[in-house]
């Protein structure tokens, strides 16, 4: 069976196609994306502009056509916070839905956290014990913890790197007062989440997913041995703390010269780093492991369980 996942997120519209069968590891066949950074197209009234809408729908059309051309049996389309919370989100969702062959899934924040957690649980296996899973997207931060495949806590907080860059960091590089206001906002927003997570037993492994964490790990982490192809990374909270003020002093165009910082993330990596550091400190995490699987793989695995 060939399944596709189309993730319409705050930063990218991303298509993954897998050949799947029950009991086997999903085999990736297609990995294609368009960088959107939808937060750039939000007006002061929280409306996605006509330009942003047209670019988004054009990307969706191209990726759905690609999925059909590759003989996909089913496409799972997921929409996350940027469109979900826009004032004209329902109109855009209706236009996306009209283009599809299947059902459109509009994920709530807790759903995003639970699916990302499922992906990490399957990647690390039962032997990893209790997991704490962190994910920073463009619109929100997701946190989940548990020992089974359904987490005990799955929470979402509107602390995405794109959202916060737009709201708090209008200058490039950001001014000291802007950074101070951002740190205060993040700290306050994290308090209820930290209380809920801290009521659970301590994790055996703390795992981070998302491009933001992967980029930061290239700066403030190290490559470690792991099973399977590709590099595995860990990141130190203390090293990240050293990097945050340095990142904030570098203009966005120059940040792309740093390892792991890509063009689509360079404008929001400072806000992402502030959120990552505040979250790791608040949860008293000295080292975080970077997991290759995240939301899209979690959605695929859940659907495969239902087949």
């Amino acid at each position: 069976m060939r399944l596709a996942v189309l993730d319409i997120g705050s930063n990218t519209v991303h298509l993954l196609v897998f050949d799947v069968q029950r009991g086997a590891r999903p085999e990736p066949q297609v990995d294609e994306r368009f960088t959107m950074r939808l937060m750039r197209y939000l007006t002061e009234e929280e409306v996605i502009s006509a330009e942003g809408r047209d670019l988004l729908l054009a990307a969706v059309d191209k990726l759905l056509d690609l999925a059909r051309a590759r003989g996909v049996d089913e496409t799972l389309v997921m929409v996350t916070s940027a469109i979900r919370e826009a004032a004209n989100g329902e109109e855009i969702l209706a236009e996306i839905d009209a283009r599809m062959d299947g059902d459109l899934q509009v994920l709530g924040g807790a759903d995003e956290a639970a699916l990302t957690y499922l992906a990490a649980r399957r990647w690390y296996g039962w032997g990893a014990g209790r997991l704490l899973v962190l994910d920073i997207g463009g619109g929100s931060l997701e946190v989940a913890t548990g020992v089974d495949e359904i987490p005990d806590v799955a929470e979402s907080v509107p602390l995405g790197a794109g959202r916060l860059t737009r709201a708090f960091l209008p200058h490039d590089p950001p001014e000291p007062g802007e950074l101070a206001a951002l740190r205060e906002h993040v700290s306050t927003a994290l308090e209820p989440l930290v209380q809920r997570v801290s009521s659970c037993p301590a994790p055996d492994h703390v795992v981070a997913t998302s491009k933001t964490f992967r980029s930061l790990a290239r700066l403030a982490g190290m490559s470690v041995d792991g099973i399977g192809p590709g590099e595995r990374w860990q990141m130190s909270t203390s090293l990240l703390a050293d990097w945050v003020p340095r990142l904030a002093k570098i203009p966005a165009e120059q940040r792309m010269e740093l390892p792991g910082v890509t063009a689509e993330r360079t404008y929001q990596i400072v806000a992402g780093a502030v959120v990552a550091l505040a979250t790791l400190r608040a949860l008293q995490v000295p080292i975080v492991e970077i997991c290759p699987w995240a939301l899209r793989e979690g959605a695929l695995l859940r659907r495969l369980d239902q087949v």
Side-chain angles (χ1 to χ4, degrees):
M1 184 177 186
R2 180 162 285 186
L3 291 179
V5 179
L6 181 62
D7 179 10
I8 305 172
S10 301
N11 287 311
T12 60
V13 183
H14 193 169
L15 176 73
L16 291 176
V17 176
F18 294 88
D19 284 340
V20 297
Q21 60 181 3
R22 181 177 292 277
R25 173 187 168 125
E27 292 294 335
Q29 301 298 323
V30 175
D31 185 340
E32 189 71 39
R33 77 189 74 191
F34 289 93
T35 300
M36 287 294 306
R37 288 172 52 209
L38 272 178
M39 294 297 173
R40 295 182 301 173
Y41 301 102
L42 275 178
T43 68
E44 293 183 359
E45 294 76 26
E46 300 297 318
V47 171
I48 297 175
S49 69
E51 181 186 6
R53 167 194 164 280
D54 291 344
L55 289 171
L56 173 64
L57 294 176
V60 169
D61 285 338
K62 290 177 181 177
L63 292 177
L64 287 175
D65 287 343
L66 176 58
R68 295 180 185 112
R70 296 301 295 266
V72 166
D73 297 294
E74 182 179 349
T75 300
L76 310 176
V77 181
M78 302 182 302
V79 176
T80 53
S81 62
I83 299 176
R84 185 177 67 224
E85 298 169 8
N88 58 339
E90 290 296 328
E91 300 170 20
I92 295 175
L93 287 172
E95 295 199 58
I96 295 172
D97 192 37
R99 288 162 158 76
M100 293 174 46
D101 303 321
D103 293 330
L104 177 67
Q105 300 181 51
V106 182
L107 298 179
D111 294 328
E112 291 186 51
L115 287 175
T116 303
Y117 169 88
L118 174 62
R121 166 56 66 200
R122 293 281 179 92
W123 179 267
Y124 284 96
W126 298 114
R130 175 171 288 273
L131 295 180
L132 173 61
V133 181
L134 315 174
D135 183 291
I136 299 173
S140 56
L141 161 73
E142 275 73 50
V143 178
T145 185
V147 71
D148 298 316
E149 292 205 336
I150 298 175
D152 299 328
V153 172
E155 299 282 346
S156 179
V157 186
L159 293 177
R163 181 194 301 274
L164 296 182
T165 299
R166 176 174 174 264
F168 288 92
L169 306 181
H171 293 94
D172 176 37
E175 298 179 352
E178 295 171 355
L179 285 170
L182 173 59
R183 290 191 182 100
E184 182 178 357
H185 173 78
V186 171
S187 177
T188 300
L190 282 174
E191 288 178 2
L193 180 146
V194 170
Q195 291 179 2
R196 288 190 288 271
V197 173
S198 298
S199 67
C200 298
D204 298 295
H205 291 272
V206 182
V207 175
T209 71
S210 77
K211 183 66 173 179
T212 294
F213 269 113
R214 290 197 297 271
S215 297
L216 293 172
R218 294 287 301 276
L219 293 174
M222 65 190 76
S223 179
V224 295
D225 292 335
I227 298 173
E231 293 181 301
R232 301 288 178 267
W233 291 85
Q234 290 182 345
M235 183 172 66
S236 160
T237 302
S238 61
L239 287 178
L240 177 61
D242 291 337
W243 262 105
V244 172
R246 295 159 65 187
L247 274 175
K249 294 178 181 178
I250 303 173
E253 291 186 0
Q254 295 179 19
R255 292 182 206 129
M256 289 187 289
E257 299 175 8
L258 298 171
V261 180
T262 57
E264 70 259 26
R265 305 286 166 173
T266 186
Y267 290 97
Q268 60 188 50
I269 194 67
V270 173
V274 169
V275 173
L277 179 60
T279 304
L280 293 173
R281 281 177 165 172
L283 295 172
Q284 301 180 28
V285 176
I287 295 284
V288 64
E289 305 172 39
I290 307 302
C291 179
W293 280 6
L295 174 63
R296 288 173 287 273
E297 288 81 5
L300 180 81
L301 291 166
R302 178 181 285 180
R303 180 68 187 97
L304 188 57
D305 288 345
Q306 297 168 350
V307 172

